[in-house]
Every structure is written in structure tokens, then in C-alpha cells.
Amino acid sequence: MLKGKKIVLGITGSIAAYKACYIIRGLIKAGAEVQVVITPAGKEFITPITLSALTQKPVISDFFSQRDGSWHSHVALGLWADAMLIAPCTASTLGKMANGVADNMLITTYLSMKAPVFIAPAMDLDMYQHPTTQENLQKLQSFGNQIIEPQSGFLASGLEGKGRMEEPEKIVEYLDRALDASAPLAGKKIMITAGPTYEKIDPVRFIGNYSSGKMGFALAEECARRGAEVELIAGPVALATTRPHIHRTDVESCEQMYQAAINTYGQCDAAILCAAVADFRPDTIADKKIKRENEDLVIRLKPTHDIAAELGKMKRENQRLIGFALETNDEQANAQDKLKRKNFDFIVLNSLRNEGTCFQSDENQISIISSQGQKDYDRKPKSEVAADIITELSAIL
């Protein structure tokens, strides 16, 4: 979707300014036309000659190019562009944008911009976490700007934490997908639960299951690939996400997953409940490690929250709710019963009888059951299974 697009790239005074070169190369390789607007501080980190060589366009920094009255029109740039990307964006520039302080060419261009604006913050972790910065980010989002979240990692200050600008290739991908109005799930927000939950017995032991989270994470990646904003609620798993449209919340217990799901579902168009949530938890949790004794140990269990049932009650007419059923016997009957009781739009059934297709596996074999009937699918990689499920969801969205 970047082919033929006109992108204004704003560069500010951050050490991450050198990464703008890679952003430019990625945009141009994708077929975009790039016009750089740089702040005076930005020129201290990277030269206009370098940027001009990459874009094949003169870099704009000052209001006036000469003393004869010729000037750079921020209004014309605002009309020319299909999108404006500010990367890196410092805390200072965020503050100016949020409050309309038009003291340089970049800010006047931003204030004149008719096209969507994307902001990739870059700063030290304490500056990023400061209430002023967070308030400015929220304010800019309320204006309709899209924030490309910074990542955690090693920072120029020598500290480690959140504030590192997203990597150039992911920023380019973010723009590509955001500008793809034809993406089937563009504008949709989807919540996905993934992985197991751990229910503590004592400080070192828990009740859990063998879920790896691979199926849920594959669903999150597929939804993001098709243009959706994804709210991923993940139990304890050793997996990472790759696409910038996935916002991840890590939890451990059913109670934590329940609270996150209840707080999130109301703002979503759909939810896919792929997590393997514990049905029971210990009635009491020992505050010290339980020692081996000669007598048998009895642990009294009590039910956990039924997340699916609660979301089924919350579901509005314009929302969709998708469930999973992992069965060992009477698969279809149990899945049909669960479909009705939990108010699902459809349920994804898999069986432990199909060896190598459930816990820890890279493959799965499913059936999709709805009020309209049942569709059976061949065994395939979980990434392809995710595509089948999201195709089914897209049809009812």
C-alpha cells in the first residue's frame, strides 16, 4: 500500500535520528516518495546531505530557503502528503505538537497536515514515563494521531527500559498496514487470550497445564496482518509478538486474566478465547513452601472465574465472541453444548485424540462449529489454522 504514497518524514533531535536513514530506504523500497522535514536540533545528529541523497529531494528545515522572499510552504506539504511520520519524535516535540507551539518548520507542517499522522517516540525511560510525556501522548492520540509504541531495550544513556524507538522495518510495516484501507480487518479491534494460567499452591508450586500459547499468538499475528488492532492477554509463555499492532498484557492467574478480559472486551469488536484457563484454584495459598510429610497432602480446590460465560453475558449485538474447546471424548456434543451455554458465535474444536496437534505442537487440526453447522479442516501448521479461523471471523464481522 506504500507504492505511490507521498510521505512527509519528520526528524527531531534524538540519537535515534540515524535510524531515519533506514526508514527512508524502507519507504522508498516499498515505492513511496519521501520528503524530509527536520528540526534544527535534528541536523546536529544527521546531516541534510545524507538525507537528501537518500530521498533525492532537498531537505526542508527552515521557513525560508533564501533571503529573497522564497519560502517553504507548510500548508502545501500538508496538502501534498498521504501521511506524515515523525520518527524519531522527542519529548520536546511531543510537547510542542500537543500544545500547538509552532516554532519550527516541522510543527507548522504537523499543524497543517490533512493526512494521517504517525508518531514514533524516542527518549530515555524516565522522560518517557514522566506524567507530562504520557499526558501529551494521550492528548495527541485524542486528536487522531497514531502512536507507534517505543520498545524496551538498551538506551543511549546506558540505562535499560522503555523509550527506544521502534525498529525501522517495523515502522515501515506499521505505515504500510495502516494505509491499507482495503485490509479486511482494518478499523477492527480484537481481543485474544492465549497460553495457560498458573494457580499458586505455595510460593514455588502451582496448578497449570501444558498450553504453549502458540495457537493464540498465531491468531494475534494473523489478525494484525489483516489490519486489526489486537489486544493480546497472555498467560505465562515463552513467546514474542512481531507485529506493531499487537498490544500485549501479561498475566499469570485466572483472576488476572479475568480482570484484563472484562476491562478490555467492552472496547473490542470481537474476542477469541484461546487460552487454556484453569477451572479450579487452591482454596488457600500457603505463604511458605509446603514441606514433605509422611501423611498424604490434601488440597481443597474451588472454581475459578468462568471468563467465557461472563463475556457471553456482556456481549452486545454488534460484538462477536469466539471460543475454543479441547476435548478428550464426546467432542461434538460437548462443543455444541459449550457453544450455546457461553453465547459464542462459533467454537473451535480440537481433540487430544489427534496426536501431536494440541499442547506444545506447531500443528493443529480443528473443526469450526456454529449454529449453521460444522466445518472440518485438515491438519496443518498453526499459522495456517489461524488464517482459517480469522477468515471465518471476518465473514461475520
Side-chain angles (χ1 to χ4, degrees):
M1 285 307 298
L2 286 169
K3 188 174 182 179
K5 297 296 187 192
K6 298 178 176 65
I7 310 295
V8 170
L9 174 61
I11 302 173
T12 69
S14 163
I15 187 62
Y18 78 92
K19 293 184 178 182
C21 294
Y22 299 100
I23 294 174
I24 292 169
R25 291 300 297 269
L27 291 171
I28 291 176
K29 187 176 180 180
E33 187 178 348
V34 182
Q35 173 62 64
V36 171
V37 179
I38 191 169
T39 64
K43 291 190 289 184
E44 299 295 325
F45 290 90
I46 189 167
T47 68
I49 294 173
T50 300
L51 300 168
S52 180
L54 292 170
T55 62
Q56 298 297 298
K57 289 178 178 292
V59 171
I60 298 174
S61 179
D62 301 315
F63 292 106
F64 302 96
S65 58
Q66 299 177 34
R67 294 296 180 183
D68 62 0
S70 59
W71 64 300
H72 295 121
S73 174
H74 52 278
V75 176
L77 281 172
L79 295 170
W80 173 81
D82 293 301
M84 183 177 189
L85 167 66
I86 304 172
C89 186
T90 61
S92 175
T93 296
L94 282 174
K96 291 178 181 181
M97 292 169 66
N99 294 284
V101 181
D103 65 348
N104 62 45
M105 187 66 186
L106 191 153
I107 303 299
T108 56
T109 301
Y110 161 70
L111 292 173
S112 302
M113 188 55 55
K114 300 293 186 183
V117 177
F118 303 85
I119 303 166
M123 64 198 72
D124 205 60
L125 73 163
D126 293 316
M127 294 178 72
Y128 181 73
Q129 292 171 353
H130 196 279
T132 302
T133 303
Q134 292 301 311
E135 184 177 305
N136 287 333
L137 285 167
Q138 292 173 12
K139 195 172 182 181
L140 288 167
Q141 281 184 303
S142 74
F143 297 159
N145 301 297
Q146 296 190 45
I147 308 299
I148 303 174
E149 286 274 328
Q151 299 303 303
S152 295
F154 185 75
L155 304 170
S157 63
L159 301 174
E160 281 198 55
K162 190 167 185 178
R164 179 176 177 146
M165 189 179 80
E166 180 62 275
E167 292 305 313
E169 63 273 14
K170 291 191 176 181
I171 291 175
V172 172
E173 181 188 352
Y174 190 106
L175 256 68
D176 184 57
R177 293 173 58 259
L179 295 176
D180 185 1
S182 64
L185 293 180
K188 300 296 183 184
K189 191 171 187 177
I190 298 176
M191 184 187 85
I192 298 172
T193 64
T197 64
Y198 290 172
E199 311 303 328
K200 283 187 175 181
I201 297 172
D202 63 20
V204 297
R205 301 182 181 92
F206 60 85
I207 296 171
N209 58 62
Y210 296 112
S211 174
S212 64
K214 291 178 181 178
M215 190 68 250
F217 274 63
L219 287 164
E221 296 287 347
E222 183 64 21
C223 283
R225 189 184 73 80
R226 299 196 193 193
E229 291 285 340
V230 179
E231 291 290 336
L232 175 62
I233 303 172
V237 297
L239 296 172
T241 58
T242 61
R243 296 182 183 273
H245 280 269
I246 301 173
H247 176 256
R248 177 174 175 175
T249 301
D250 289 308
V251 299
E252 181 178 273
S253 66
C254 173
E255 176 66 27
Q256 292 169 343
M257 186 170 283
Y258 170 80
Q259 293 297 336
I262 293 296
N263 292 336
T264 303
Y265 184 50
Q267 293 80 49
C268 294
D269 298 285
I272 306 173
L273 305 183
C274 189
V277 183
D279 292 318
F280 297 92
R281 63 180 178 86
D283 190 23
T284 59
I285 302 172
D287 57 1
K288 297 179 181 178
K289 180 181 176 182
I290 300 172
K291 300 295 185 181
R292 181 191 292 271
E293 304 288 348
N294 292 329
E295 297 180 3
D296 293 341
L297 173 67
V298 176
I299 299 176
R300 183 179 296 276
L301 302 177
K302 63 181 180 181
T304 57
H305 286 294
D306 190 334
I307 297 174
E310 289 300 319
L311 296 185
K313 294 175 185 176
M314 287 176 58
K315 189 175 77 167
R316 301 188 302 271
E317 187 176 347
N318 63 340
Q319 286 182 305
R320 299 292 174 259
L321 187 62
I322 311 306
F324 270 69
L326 174 61
E327 301 292 343
T328 58
N329 60 281
D330 300 325
E331 287 94 337
Q332 281 75 18
N334 287 331
Q336 288 279 6
D337 177 61
K338 191 173 182 180
L339 174 74
K340 296 174 184 176
R341 285 189 295 106
K342 304 298 175 73
N343 196 19
F344 291 144
D345 291 275
F346 66 81
I347 192 165
V348 179
L349 169 66
N350 50 11
S351 172
L352 282 174
R353 296 189 191 189
N354 298 325
E355 291 187 18
T357 64
C358 295
F359 293 130
Q360 307 294 326
S361 175
D362 291 326
E363 295 185 326
N364 205 347
Q365 184 172 355
I366 66 165
S367 297
I368 292 180
I369 299 174
S370 69
S371 58
Q372 282 73 48
Q374 178 172 325
K375 295 181 182 179
D376 299 318
Y377 295 83
D378 295 332
R379 178 172 176 161
K380 59 184 73 174
K382 285 182 175 176
S383 58
E384 296 180 23
V385 174
D388 290 334
I389 295 169
I390 301 309
T391 295
E392 195 72 15
L393 174 60
S394 297
I396 62 172
L397 277 174

